[in-house]
Amino acid sequence: MLSSPKVLILTGSYGNGHMQVTRTLSETFKRKGINNIVVSDLFLEAHPTLTSITKSFYIMSYTYGQRLYGLFYYGGNKQSILSKTAFIHKLGMQKLEEIVENEKPDIIVNTFPMLVVPEFRKKKGVTIPIFNILTDFCAHKNWIHEEIDRYYVATEELKQDIMNSNVPLSNIRVTGIPIQPQFEEDLEKQEILHKYDLKKDSEVILIIAGAFGVLKDMEEIVAKLSKEHRYQVVVVCGKNEKLRKKLTNRFLNTPRIKILGYSNHLYELMSVASIMVTKPGGITLSEALAINTPLVLYRSVPGQELENACYFERKGAAFLVNDPTALIEKITQITRDSHLQNEMKLNMKKIHNPNAASVICTDILQFLEKNPGDHLLEGGSLEYDSISEWG
């Protein structure tokens, strides 16, 4: 293995999940003594205006753009005309060439599904190993390409799905999705309850508002939950200051309702929660698996979120609901049925793969040890025809 391999991690800022995985991997590589790490939000750096437009479209998927986003996601996943358009797969090619030429990485790690990276290797003769780390419990076709050396996936079922796309079994590892190590640690729950002024003898209902927009009907949901005196409700509003102020003013005189803004300590709140209500992003679900917090998934957006939610519901690890009444009923059912709670937790343990980031980084380094050598063209440079037409 190279004494100090250079790692290029390519990510995307569509939602927080891909960026979180990127940060976790960077920190894990560094703990293993690999400090030569370059991170690139490739599409943003290559096409900032187009990225801004498409990110707005992505954010719309949480409100009135759900059907459009679902059409885009499922159409691309079925290899439609849109998904086969060469232009889509060329976006960022010129910027990627520039990064590889300047940085000369020994490996490329993808935490965002984009075919431009394997297409770059296929068409230009660069033999840098490419590793895809899937950040959901489903696989969009943009993750899959014959030039990918290894896939790291969350579940055995996802491994089988990728194998069905003619990917060799030897190229797939079931590792789970990388999360911050705090979610894997044993925490002192009594101290956490005291920190957030929560009572030991009451159920804690944790509601995560989401990175973009919020869960709909939030005020109505919290008001209904506040009528049940055995509940303590903690709402994490993230960076939505408008929502935080609105809910704070509404429930100012209700001490059992805690309204919080952005938090870097969700692992603490999840560890004391009887139930967590959230959108089913791949990272959030993986964090819940690690801490073993029962889940109610509310109004999942068509696309990867809905696919994640349906998988968890099929496995008996979560319930998927779509309106406030059903949400309250499901919370009531779970909190009143200890057998159901235990069954959900057991099912979550069956899905969970611990220490994913460490397992992945170790496997990548072992791959390099077994496949040593210069991963660039002769002379360590990319000597081929101009690709200015690639955008």
Side-chain angles (χ1 to χ4, degrees), residues 77-290:
N77 212 22
K78 293 177 181 177
Q79 296 296 286
S80 64
I81 294 174
L82 175 64
S83 71
K84 293 178 181 178
T85 303
F87 170 74
I88 298 295
H89 300 161
K90 294 174 184 178
L91 286 173
M93 183 72 76
Q94 187 172 359
K95 184 63 179 180
L96 179 58
E97 177 195 16
E98 177 186 318
I99 294 171
V100 172
E101 176 69 45
N102 292 336
E103 301 294 345
K104 296 181 173 55
D106 296 293
I107 62 172
I108 297 176
V109 178
N110 286 326
T111 68
F112 186 77
M114 46 188 165
L115 292 175
V116 63
V117 183
E119 283 293 312
F120 170 75
R121 187 171 92 167
K122 178 181 179 180
K123 294 182 179 295
K124 299 305 167 183
V126 181
T127 57
I128 306 171
I130 302 173
F131 304 89
N132 276 3
I133 300 174
L134 279 66
T135 54
D136 286 292
F137 291 80
C138 56
H140 192 279
K141 292 297 183 183
N142 281 356
W143 283 111
I144 301 171
H145 193 284
E146 66 270 17
E147 292 290 324
I148 302 300
D149 291 283
R150 191 151 291 171
Y151 300 83
Y152 299 100
V153 303
T155 67
E156 290 289 336
E157 292 88 345
L158 190 47
K159 178 182 75 174
Q160 188 60 54
D161 286 346
I162 295 177
M163 288 174 60
N164 292 341
S165 297
N166 298 317
V167 174
L169 173 62
S170 59
N171 288 13
I172 310 170
R173 299 286 187 273
V174 179
T175 59
I177 299 173
I179 58 175
Q180 288 291 319
Q182 294 92 331
F183 289 91
E184 308 269 8
E185 297 172 355
D186 292 328
L187 301 174
E188 179 49 61
K189 294 185 180 181
Q190 191 57 46
E191 292 181 4
I192 295 170
L193 290 170
H194 178 73
K195 175 179 177 179
Y196 292 96
D197 192 26
L198 297 168
K199 307 301 182 184
K200 183 179 180 180
D201 57 352
S202 298
E203 305 269 12
V204 176
I205 311 301
L206 175 62
I207 302 177
I208 308 297
F212 298 107
V214 296
L215 296 177
K216 289 185 178 181
D217 311 306
M218 179 66 67
E219 192 170 355
E220 176 188 352
I221 291 167
V222 176
K224 288 184 176 181
L225 288 172
S226 69
K227 295 177 181 178
E228 177 58 71
H229 292 282
R230 65 195 184 93
Y231 291 159
Q232 301 171 97
V233 182
V234 180
V235 183
V236 179
C237 300
K239 296 180 180 179
N240 192 318
E241 188 64 15
K242 181 179 179 180
L243 176 70
R244 189 192 68 79
K245 288 181 179 178
K246 180 180 180 181
L247 293 180
T248 297
N249 291 335
R250 169 73 186 274
F251 300 103
L252 186 63
N253 297 317
T254 310
R256 289 179 294 102
I257 308 298
K258 312 291 182 183
I259 309 300
L260 307 178
Y262 180 79
S263 174
N264 284 319
H265 299 89
L266 285 180
Y267 55 92
E268 294 179 339
L269 294 167
M270 290 168 65
S271 73
V272 297
S274 301
I275 295 174
M276 180 167 72
V277 178
T278 184
K279 307 287 277 185
I283 311 308
T284 301
L285 294 177
S286 298
E287 292 167 349
L289 288 179

